[in-house]
Amino acid sequence: MSDNPVKILKGVNGQLALYRDKIIITRKGFMGTKEKTIYLSQITGIQLKQPSMWTKGYILFTVPGSIETRGDPIATTLDENCVMFNATEKDLALEIKNTAEKLISQLGKATANLSPADELRKFKQLLDEGVISQEEFEQKKKQVLGL
């Protein structure tokens, strides 16, 4: 897919770059720069908390295997899939959320036309990347094959 980001949010605790097929969160720290790539096909939910006069906002991406931190704002902001932002970035954060959801929806429509072999190949890749467990792969395999 494209090497150019669709949108970029320079947050308080890192930068979020939205591409047509993935999100890359970049953080700079004492040990250098770290990048986390989340493919849109992995995302099961997106939380957006708007900033207030006293707090920062955040955008959080939920993927299989991540621990839900709903109701615990401190734990949420420490999540590696979370980028915090100031009030000046709230419109951009909302645009990123809406655009990501639209791209994910389009991706879902495209994958609906996959052959069973292509679907199995997709799930095998997720297994090899450590995104899903062997058990989850076996369940999907049975589902795809109708067993």
Side-chain angles (χ1 to χ4, degrees), residues 6-123:
V6 176
K7 299 199 180 292
I8 296 175
L9 170 71
K10 293 184 186 205
V12 175
N13 63 338
Q15 176 177 292
L16 184 156
L18 172 64
Y19 294 80
R20 296 208 172 279
D21 63 337
K22 65 189 169 208
I23 289 169
I24 298 178
I25 298 173
T26 307
R27 299 187 201 285
K28 294 181 181 175
F30 298 116
M31 303 297 284
T33 302
K34 284 185 170 183
E35 274 192 1
K36 165 110 188 229
T37 301
I38 304 170
Y39 290 95
L40 297 181
S41 61
Q42 299 172 294
I43 296 174
T44 57
I46 304 173
Q47 283 184 55
L48 178 75
K49 180 193 168 289
Q50 293 288 352
S52 70
M53 187 181 300
W54 298 280
T55 63
K56 308 236 182 276
Y58 65 79
I59 186 166
L60 173 69
F61 301 94
T62 306
V63 296
S66 64
I67 298 171
E68 289 287 327
T69 55
R70 292 181 190 263
D72 185 352
I74 295 172
T76 299
T77 57
L78 296 175
D79 191 303
E80 67 180 348
N81 299 337
C82 179
V83 174
M84 294 172 23
F85 57 88
N86 291 313
T88 56
E89 301 296 329
K90 69 179 183 178
D91 292 337
L92 178 57
L94 182 59
E95 285 178 37
I96 287 174
K97 178 184 186 289
N98 292 338
T99 303
E101 288 175 339
K102 183 178 176 184
L103 290 169
I104 290 167
S105 173
Q106 291 171 353
L107 188 62
K109 289 175 187 169
T111 58
N113 298 326
L114 290 178
S115 72
D118 288 335
E119 271 195 83
L120 285 176
R121 207 171 283 116
K122 176 184 78 169
F123 289 121

